[in-house]
Each structure stands twice: as C-alpha cells, then as structure tokens.
Amino acid sequence: MGIFFFSLLFHVFLLVLHWGFPVESAYLPNLQAFETNPSLHVINQSKRAGHHANGSNNIILNPTFEDGPSNWSGKGCDILLHESMGDGKVLPLYSKFFASATNRTRSWNGIEQEITGRVQPNLAYEVTVVVRIYGGNITNANIQTTLWVQNPDIHEQYIKIAIVQATDKDWVQLQGKFLLNGSPLRVIIFVEGPPLGTDILFNSLVVKHAEKVPHSLRPFMKNEAFGVNIIDNSNLDDGINGWFPLGNFSLSMEFGSPIELPPIARNSLGFQECLSGRVCLGQIGSGSASPQIVNVALSVDGNWVNGGQVEFNDESWHEVGGSFRIDKQPSNVMVYIQGPAAGVDLMVAGLWIFPVDLKARFKLLKKQTDKIRKRDLILKFSSSEAINASGAFVQVKQIQNSFPFGSCITRSSIDNEGLVQFLVKNFIWVVFGNELKWSWTEPQQDNFNYKDADELLEFCKNHSLEIRGHCIFWEVEYAIQPWVQGLNKSGLITAVQNRLTDLLTRYKGNFRHYDVDNEMLHGSFYKDRLGKNIQATMFKISHQLDSSATLFVNDYHIEDGSDVRSSPEEYIRQILDLQHQGAPVGALEFKGTLTIQWGRLADDLEVMLREAFAHPSVEGIMLWGFWELYMSRENAHLVNVEGKINAASKRYLALKEEWLSHARGYIDAQGEFRFRGFYGTHNIEINSPTTKINGTFVVDKGESPLAITIDL
Ligand SMILES: *[C@@H]1O[C@H](CO)[C@@H](O)[C@H](O)[C@H]1NC(C)=O
Ligand SMILES: *[C@@H]1O[C@H](CO)[C@@H](O)[C@H](O)[C@H]1NC(C)=O
Ligand SMILES: *[C@@H]1O[C@H](CO)[C@@H](O)[C@H](O)[C@H]1NC(C)=O
Ligand SMILES: *[C@@H]1O[C@H](CO)[C@@H](O)[C@H](O)[C@H]1NC(C)=O
Ligand SMILES: *[C@@H]1O[C@H](CO)[C@@H](O)[C@H](O)[C@H]1NC(C)=O
Ligand SMILES: *[C@@H]1O[C@H](CO)[C@@H](O)[C@H](O)[C@H]1NC(C)=O
Ligand SMILES: *[C@@H]1O[C@H](CO)[C@@H](O)[C@H](O)[C@H]1NC(C)=O
Ligand SMILES: *[C@@H]1O[C@H](CO)[C@@H](O)[C@H](O)[C@H]1NC(C)=O
Ligand SMILES: *[C@@H]1O[C@H](CO)[C@@H](O)[C@H](O)[C@H]1NC(C)=O
Ligand SMILES: *[C@@H]1O[C@H](CO)[C@@H](O)[C@H](O)[C@H]1NC(C)=O
C-alpha cells in the first residue's frame, strides 16, 4: 500500500514545524471557488481614525456617501441615505452618512458600484466593507461581498470575496481579497445576503491594492548544541532527581526498563545502551481497559506547546515522539508528561529533548533518498564493426523525475496564464479543489453541474497532467449540501448510489486516484445514517465502477500529535477495519498545513519535502495550491499574484533540480557506461567524432541494476 500525501510531521525532535487545520471550502453553491480569509471584527470605535476610506488608493468612488448616493445603485432594491436611524440608535461609524438598501425582495438584492476600468487584472485587491442589518425581525444574518465579472467571451463569473455574520446591534467589518484574470469587460462589486424584508445598512467600502505584510525574523538562538540532550537525569540513573509530580500523587522508582531503546531515540541519538531505570508516577488504581493518551507538553512562558502524544491500551512500552518549535526566546519552559485518566498509573523510562541539527538530518535524508529513489544503471552501447563507442564521452541529464509532484487547481486557475505556465512546468499531477465535490456537481437534487470538472479535465488532458479525483463523498457534516442533509434513510441510500454511478461512470478511466470519503476520522455523516458498513461499501462500489482508479483514505492531523480523533493509531485502526470489510483501500493520504511563523516557509517546505522524499512509503506529494490568492491560506504561496517566485518557490525548484540525475564520463572498453540515477526520463548526448547520439531513455522503478541498451 502506498502513501500519497500532502505533507507530514516527522519524528524528529525540535523540528521547526507548526501545523494548523487544513482549510477546504465546503458548500459554496453558485460561486466560483475563490478562497479568501473573511474575518469578523466588531469595530473598536476608538480606531476610527485609522480607517482610510478617503485614501487615494481606494478605487471606490464616493466611498462614504459624502456626495450623496452618486456612483452607487441598488441591485433590485432602493437606496436611501441616512444620518441616523432607529431614534438615533444607529449612527454612521465613519463620516456623516450611511446608506440603507431597502425594499429588498430577494437575498441577492443589495448595493453595488461598477468598478470597470479602475480595477486591474493580476493585482491583489483588499476589500473592507462596514455593514450591519436592520429590521425584518431578525438579529443576525450573513452578508457577503461578491464581484460580478463579465469576460470578453461573455461568460459571467461571480467571485466571492468575503462573508460575515452581521448583526442589528453593531457595525461589523467584512474583509477579503480578490484577483481578476484576463481583461474583463465589466466588473461590479456588490454587497448582498440577508433575507428579504431585512435592510442592509452600509457605511463604507474600501477596495485597494493589497499591502504586503513584512514577515518578522526568525528568533536567534545562541549556542545551539545540536543533537545534545537538554534534559537532566534523562533516563533516571539518578533516581527521580529533577522530576516532580504535578498534582496530588507521588513518584516512585522501580527497576526493569524496556530492553531496547525505542526507534526514534535510537535513530536520532544513536544510543547503543539499554535504558537503565524507570520511574513510576504512582496513583491509586491499577490501569484501565480503555485507550489512554500520553502526551508530552511544554509550558513556554505560560503557553502550551504540544510535543507529541500516543494513545494505547496495552501494558507494553510505547514511544512518544514529537517535535516543537519555540517562537521566541523564552524565560521559563517546563516539560510535562501527562495524559491518562485519574487512577491509571503512568510509567516513564526516559525523556530526551535536543535541538535538531538540520544539516546532519539532511545528510541522513540524502542518503536514504539515494537508496530509495535511485537505481544503478548500465547503459550498454551496441557496437558494430562500423561503430565502436568505447572511449566516447557521454552526458546524461534527467528531464523529468517520475516521482509525482502535484498541486490543487480550481476552475479559475486555468484562466490565469502565468499560473498555468508554472503548473505545467513544475507539476505532473493535479487535484481539483472543489469542482468534483458532490456539493459542486449536484448543488440541488437532480440539478447537475459537471461543467467545471469537465473543463478542468480537458485542461489536464491537454497538458498530460494526471488527476486525483477529490472527493466522491465527504464525511464531515458541514460539508454536505442541504438537500442531502434533508434526505431520509432510503432517500440517502438512493442518492449515494446515484452519486457513485453518475460520477464514476461519467469519468471512468480519467481519474487515476479517488479520495473516496474525505476525512472519515473527522466526521460520520454517512456512517451515522447508513451504518458502519457504508464506508467499505463506497470503496467496493467505486472499485466495481472504475477498477482503474486507486482508492484513497485521506485525513488530516495524523502525524502532528495534536488531535486524538486522528492519531496514527486511529488511522491504522480505521484502515484495517475497512480492509477487513473488504474495502479495496489502495493508498493513504496525510494532509497537513505548514503555518509560517517568520517568513520561513522555504525552510519548512524543504524539511517537509526532504523528509517525504526520503520516506520509502511516500509515493507522491501534492501541494494545496501554489499561486497567491488561489489557495485556501494566506502567505502559503510559492508565486505571488504578479507572477514573482519567492524564497519557498526557489527552494522547491532547487530540490526538484537536485532530484534529477546528472552523469558524464567515458564509455568503457566493454561499451558500457554506469551511473546511479533517479527514476524517470533522461536525455543522453554523445558527441564524438565517431558517434553522435541525442535521445531519451526511461528509468523505471526497481531495486536491481537496470541495463539499458542504447542503439547506435
Ligand atoms: C479599542 O482600541 C483602543 C486603542 O487601540 C484600546 O485601548 C481599547 O482597549 C480598545 N477597546 C476594545 C473594546 O477593544
Ligand atoms: C460619480 O458620480 C459623480 C457625481 O454624480 C459623477 O460626476 C461621475 O461621473 C460618477 N463617476 C462614475 C465613474 O460614474
Ligand atoms: C473624507 O473626505 C471628506 C471631504 O474631504 C471629509 O468631509 C470626510 O470627513 C472624510 N471622511 C473620512 C472618513 O475621513
Ligand atoms: C418601497 O416600495 C414601496 C412600494 O413599491 C414604495 O412605496 C416605497 O417608496 C419604497 N421605498 C423606498 C425607500 O423606495
Ligand atoms: C416579529 O416577531 C414577533 C415574535 O416573534 C411577532 O409577534 C411579530 O409579528 C413579528 N413582526 C414582524 C413584522 O414580522
Ligand atoms: C490527595 O490524595 C489522597 C489519596 O487519594 C487523598 O486522601 C487526599 O485528600 C488528596 N489531597 C488533596 C489535597 O486532594
Ligand atoms: C484543449 O485543447 C484544445 C485543442 O488545442 C483547445 O481547443 C481547448 O480550448 C483546450 N481546452 C482547455 C480547457 O484548455
Ligand atoms: C423518504 O422520503 C421519500 C421522498 O421524500 C418518501 O417518498 C418516502 O416515503 C420516505 N420514506 C420514509 C420511510 O419516510
Ligand atoms: C572498441 O575500441 C576499444 C578501444 O578504443 C577497444 O578496446 C575495443 O576492443 C573495441 N571494441 C570493438 C567491439 O571493436
Ligand atoms: C538534444 O536534444 C535536446 C532536446 O531534444 C535539445 O535541447 C538539445 O539541444 C540537443 N542537443 C544537441 C547537441 O543537438
């Protein structure tokens, strides 16, 4: 079984990785997928002065109604200006006036301004809107800001910028970003959302170039002693000195330790000796049958930092491995080993913490990489009487490593020329962000939308990109479109069957992979309603309908030790369970997020990529996007909206280059040239007086030396 994953946390100590929730947009009917980072702030009145609606960068005309209603119009409703409303309870936050969008009869009615000509394509814009709701007998409702774009081919597009829950009590600020592709004929920005009968009150709108936020610098650590354990009395040679109980229980010493050092400690520290003692943190009671969590946690100046955890319910020794990074010079750090329920004894045989020497670690990883991603090659040159290649100079340069690097794309990605160029040059796999999800392909029952997926598929075929189908189902309730949520059991069974048949028949043979039921450790929508077997059934039917596709189990937070729902143990348990029920599970996927702390995305990305590439079970890496604003996260891009590559991108490209074979030398007397090369397509050039060759050969995966005959 292969492991195909997005990213991973490693069992190395004090590695510089922080992990957050991966963000996938859930149900977004009728909107082009365009991830932004909406945020809600109730505005602090004393910060008014900082609002620059009037600023010269704002492309909105008359942004705070100083010129009356000029330049604004009602979209399906009437616009009125006010100095106050509700007996003076509602006053403008900025300036003298605010507008109300009233007499609304549809939720999409609201206020709009045309910005054609003032907004430029391929630039990031930041939008800030100040709104609240009024009347209609409700106290809160969603308000969203959307762009309507008319493209030269007359196709219309709605780009969601941000959504916020507004209230009738306070002004709220709605913020988001957008980016336009191509040269649209017309662009209108509008604010809409609440149910009819409720007015939208609208105080100001700012649309301006997004400012770049400079990253702060990495903290400077003096005298980093890489690989040196910083815990005193680590393996309890000196009794319980330096250890103390936290809470009302006592520590005691016992003897008889695990015979072998656990693998992480052994591999990382190179210890040869056995552990010599153990300490028993004693409490009343004698164990428990239910699984217990043991966690290593640090308190860094009062903030908790997770150092890894395990979950188990047997009485054997387990290793807790983890890594953490401290963001600034701390003044007080405590480390805790904690977790099991009251009444359960916890035994600790040792604890080591040491700064990771990335250089040394990379050296080790390069060795592993060399072992698993390359093979010995013997190029045999078929000599004849006319041609004797011996002695000729050969140059081999790899064109393409066959290791799958991929990226997420969306329907709007393929309208961006720069994005497409970078994609086809640097990736050989893709996954669609939302376009294949059920909520996208059938937002209302029997109302199908395969247009976006079809267009993306055609694009991939045009560029020979392999595709992961993401996802047939999604087990998490919030991601499920309302009509599916409203079905009764028999209706849901039919709908699930239809979804499988429609999707897998339509795209048979097109998707090499499928994520069958997204995030089964983080949701149980189908399982709760249709029984435990439904997940295995989804796999079985998918396989029957398209046996050419590898079926994936995928989830997040597997390796970061912060989420008990998706510990490695839970993941294994789930997969074995599925297999036991006959589910043809073909591969696993580990999703994760690199959260950048100090503009160190490049460093973190390199660690992630090197670790993954050196791991024998990893068979591919997908990034969830790479182009600024075409990603679900801010500041996670490799290329900015203007097409400039950043440090992370340079690192990625340098690694891709490092993972291409280069070899040169002379053909020996036996007519052979030997080297060790990566799997994939190579170019060979010989340019000697007697022999001229310029051709390609492919190195397939395998461990034994591979002989390749080159015909002269
Ligand atoms: C509002 O901002 C001021 C100045 O930044 C700050 O002192 C005050 O605590 C803030 N009030 C609230 C309620 O956040
Ligand atoms: C904005 O409104 C002003 C005042 O009504 C008008 O002179 C101007 O032409 C308008 N601008 C646009 C682009 O509509
Ligand atoms: C914007 O400019 C107008 C006219 O210059 C001024 O009256 C108004 O107070 C300004 N509004 C803000 C929010 O600064
Ligand atoms: C709302 O609609 C009613 C009926 O069409 C009309 O009488 C009223 O003037 C409208 N209100 C505004 C503020 O335009
Ligand atoms: C508002 O709600 C109250 C109670 O929920 C109801 O009695 C009243 O008729 C409603 N008013 C309107 C205008 O819908
Ligand atoms: C500590 O635990 C002991 C034994 O369970 C108990 O008798 C005692 O009351 C506890 N003390 C406190 C302060 O909880
Ligand atoms: C795919 O290629 C064909 C032929 O060149 C072209 O007509 C079509 O527009 C392309 N489709 C996409 C989505 O790129
Ligand atoms: C389930 O829903 C369908 C469609 O709404 C309905 O025809 C059927 O009678 C319902 N079945 C049960 C058992 O309620
Ligand atoms: C080719 O040439 C090399 C040295 O130039 C010689 O050793 C070798 O025997 C020759 N091979 C054949 C097949 O003629
Ligand atoms: C060999 O072929 C490659 C790709 O086809 C080309 O880039 C290169 O210039 C060629 N080399 C020679 C010496 O013709």
Side-chain angles (χ1 to χ4, degrees):
M1 182 188 301
I3 296 185
F4 204 102
F5 79 143
F6 290 86
S7 47
L8 153 120
L9 184 77
F10 322 107
H11 286 295
V12 225
F13 300 65
L14 200 75
L15 251 185
V16 285
L17 289 176
H18 273 296
W19 298 78
F21 284 92
V23 179
E24 280 201 53
S25 69
Y27 175 57
L28 294 175
N30 307 325
L31 291 171
Q32 290 299 114
F34 197 84
E35 296 293 337
T36 52
N37 290 276
S39 57
L40 165 66
H41 306 287
V42 170
I43 297 160
N44 181 336
Q45 300 279 340
S46 69
K47 286 189 180 155
R48 274 183 196 215
H51 187 79
H52 301 296
N54 274 356
S56 54
N57 295 333
N58 191 359
I59 64 165
I60 297 298
L61 300 175
N62 187 21
T64 50
F65 307 98
E66 313 286 344
D67 301 331
S70 295
N71 311 112
W72 294 99
S73 47
K75 183 180 164 72
C77 62
D78 298 306
I79 299 292
L80 290 179
L81 289 199
H82 310 264
E83 282 184 70
S84 81
M85 277 175 88
D87 300 326
K89 284 206 196 78
V90 181
L91 294 169
L93 188 64
Y94 302 114
S95 175
K96 278 217 235 12
F97 304 100
F98 60 91
S100 65
T102 188
N103 271 359
R104 299 172 64 250
T105 56
R106 308 288 282 273
S107 66
W108 53 263
N109 293 161
I111 188 162
E112 66 181 17
Q113 182 170 124
E114 179 154 1
I115 53 175
T116 312
R118 301 199 300 281
V119 63
Q120 294 170 39
N122 299 322
L123 277 183
Y125 286 90
E126 209 165 72
V127 177
T128 311
V129 194
V130 175
V131 287
R132 62 197 285 165
I133 56 167
Y134 189 82
N137 235 3
I138 56 170
T139 55
N140 53 60
N142 281 342
I143 292 188
Q144 70 183 47
T145 306
T146 308
L147 275 192
W148 173 84
V149 180
Q150 189 178 27
N151 291 304
D153 61 2
I154 312 298
H155 101 249
E156 291 178 27
Q157 195 183 357
Y158 289 90
I159 298 176
K160 173 189 149 188
I161 300 170
I163 189 162
V164 78
Q165 192 172 65
T167 77
D168 62 345
K169 305 282 179 315
D170 260 312
W171 292 102
V172 296
Q173 188 167 301
L174 176 60
Q175 282 182 313
K177 287 186 182 174
F178 71 84
L179 169 70
L180 291 176
N181 296 314
S183 310
L185 297 179
R186 287 185 74 197
V187 187
I188 292 173
I189 187 166
F190 61 95
V191 176
E192 58 174 343
L196 54 114
T198 297
D199 292 354
I200 302 173
L201 304 189
F202 183 88
N203 190 205
S204 74
L205 172 62
V206 179
V207 178
K208 59 179 186 185
H209 273 188
E211 283 165 23
K212 298 275 175 234
V213 186
H215 296 298
S216 53
L217 294 172
R218 165 187 191 172
F220 176 68
M221 298 281 183
K222 259 199 296 186
N223 306 326
E224 260 171 330
F226 294 124
V228 176
N229 178 26
I230 59 167
I231 298 292
D232 289 336
N233 189 18
S234 250
N235 56 359
L236 310 153
D237 282 343
D238 192 13
I240 55 172
N241 254 345
W243 297 78
F244 49 90
L246 182 75
N248 180 21
F249 67 99
S250 62
L251 295 186
S252 66
M253 212 35 214
E254 284 181 23
F255 294 90
S257 60
I259 309 294
E260 271 191 81
L261 206 64
I264 299 173
R266 200 172 53 230
N267 292 343
S268 311
L269 293 167
F271 287 156
Q272 295 304 315
E273 84 262 33
C274 293
L275 296 177
S276 58
R278 74 184 191 204
V279 65
C280 170
L281 313 186
Q283 268 194 302
I284 324 141
S286 59
S288 149
S290 58
Q292 298 291 323
I293 291 166
V294 175
N295 162 252
V296 177
L298 294 103
S299 153
V300 179
D301 290 338
N303 295 315
W304 286 103
V305 173
N306 179 26
Q309 68 182 24
V310 288
E311 191 185 2
F312 56 91
N313 64 348
D314 56 27
E315 289 192 357
S316 59
W317 289 97
H318 292 264
E319 185 176 30
V320 187
S323 63
F324 59 89
R325 168 163 80 186
I326 293 179
D327 295 354
K328 56 181 201 288
Q329 202 64 53
S331 52
N332 185 294
V333 183
M334 290 287 286
V335 59
Y336 300 87
I337 304 170
Q338 56 181 23
V344 178
D345 288 358
L346 170 65
M347 291 187 277
V348 177
L351 172 70
W352 296 266
I353 293 179
F354 54 91
V356 167
D357 182 349
L358 276 187
K359 265 196 203 144
R361 179 80 193 158
F362 284 179
K363 216 171 135 188
L364 180 80
L365 293 175
K366 282 181 188 168
K367 246 195 205 158
Q368 272 170 236
T369 296
D370 195 272
K371 199 167 146 203
I372 64 162
R373 303 285 174 211
K374 284 178 157 182
R375 73 192 292 187
D376 288 331
L377 300 161
I378 309 155
L379 302 186
K380 290 178 185 276
F381 296 88
S382 61
S383 290
S384 64
E385 273 172 29
I387 308 165
N388 181 353
S390 296
F393 188 68
V394 193
Q395 264 185 298
V396 177
K397 196 176 177 306
Q398 189 169 8
I399 303 163
Q400 179 86 266
N401 192 314
S402 56
F403 184 88
F405 279 101
S407 171
C408 168
I409 58 171
T410 65
R411 175 58 193 83
S412 56
S413 309
I414 66 173
D415 294 335
N416 185 314
E417 273 177 37
L419 189 160
V420 169
Q421 264 179 28
F422 191 92
L423 176 79
V424 299
K425 194 158 170 232
N426 296 299
F427 299 95
I428 55 179
W429 273 79
V430 296
V431 57
F432 305 166
N434 290 314
E435 290 75 358
L436 211 64
K437 286 175 183 159
W438 195 6
S439 56
W440 197 278
T441 62
E442 197 179 357
Q444 280 87 39
Q445 191 160 19
D446 297 327
N447 180 359
F448 293 97
N449 167 30
Y450 286 112
K451 188 170 165 281
D452 296 320
D454 286 349
E455 285 176 14
L456 279 172
L457 180 61
E458 185 184 300
F459 166 84
C460 292
K461 284 185 170 168
N462 282 0
H463 293 96
S464 309
L465 294 161
E466 302 279 8
I467 325 163
R468 154 98 45 91
H470 174 82
C471 47
I472 307 175
F473 298 101
W474 190 346
E475 197 63 55
V476 180
E477 183 144 2
Y478 75 76
I480 290 163
Q481 64 275 47
W483 73 263
V484 175
Q485 298 213 17
L487 295 171
N488 61 24
K489 187 170 173 181
S490 60
L492 186 59
I493 290 173
T494 309
V496 163
Q497 278 166 345
N498 290 345
R499 162 70 174 168
L500 284 163
T501 312
D502 290 346
L503 187 80
L504 286 124
T505 311
R506 181 184 187 90
Y507 291 122
K508 188 168 177 162
N510 284 301
F511 294 96
R512 291 261 311 267
H513 298 161
Y514 272 110
D515 291 332
V516 176
D517 193 8
N518 203 25
E519 298 170 359
M520 288 181 282
L521 292 175
H522 289 93
S524 55
F525 178 85
Y526 297 102
K527 196 166 111 183
D528 289 349
R529 285 159 186 82
L530 304 179
K532 193 167 168 286
N533 292 338
I534 187 63
Q535 296 175 335
T537 305
M538 289 169 176
F539 275 83
K540 286 187 230 174
I541 298 179
S542 301
H543 181 71
Q544 281 160 18
L545 290 167
D546 186 352
S547 61
S548 70
T550 302
L551 304 181
F552 279 66
V553 173
N554 79 323
D555 229 304
Y556 62 92
H557 278 175
I558 306 296
E559 284 283 339
D560 68 355
S562 69
D563 189 342
V564 288
R565 289 173 300 178
S566 53
S567 62
E569 291 78 13
E570 286 297 329
Y571 207 31
I572 293 167
R573 199 157 27 233
Q574 177 182 66
I575 291 148
L576 293 178
D577 216 36
L578 283 167
Q579 289 184 323
H580 185 69
Q581 294 171 59
V585 177
L588 315 180
E589 186 176 303
F590 295 76
K591 300 195 280 190
T593 314
L594 291 171
T595 308
I596 324 110
Q597 301 291 320
W598 314 283
R600 284 169 57 183
L601 180 62
D603 291 347
D604 289 2
L605 186 68
E606 178 173 2
V607 169
M608 198 286 287
L609 292 174
R610 284 198 186 282
E611 290 283 354
F613 199 64
H615 196 291
S617 300
V618 173
E619 292 184 2
I621 301 170
M622 288 260 192
L623 305 183
W624 204 255
F626 58 87
W627 196 272
E628 189 180 14
L629 296 188
Y630 286 84
M631 308 184 65
S632 47
R633 298 224 157 209
E634 271 199 287
N635 296 322
H637 54 272
L638 303 184
V639 190
N640 75 9
V641 285
E642 285 117 42
K644 288 210 184 77
I645 63 169
N646 61 17
S649 189
K650 286 179 190 152
R651 203 73 66 89
Y652 171 74
L653 297 175
L655 283 172
K656 296 263 331 246
E657 189 61 34
E658 183 184 317
W659 294 330
L660 293 176
S661 326
H662 294 271
R664 45 172 58 197
Y666 294 93
I667 298 171
D668 65 17
Q670 283 70 49
E672 292 179 0
F673 177 68
R674 291 164 185 258
F675 70 104
R676 191 169 170 81
F678 289 101
Y679 310 132
T681 309
H682 292 70
N683 173 258
I684 178 167
E685 252 186 64
I686 300 177
N687 196 4
S688 78
T690 51
T691 319
K692 290 210 187 334
I693 283 189
N694 188 8
T696 57
F697 62 90
V698 175
V699 177
D700 291 323
K701 215 173 157 173
E703 279 179 18
S704 57
L706 177 68
I708 296 171
T709 303
I710 311 275
D711 288 323
L712 296 172

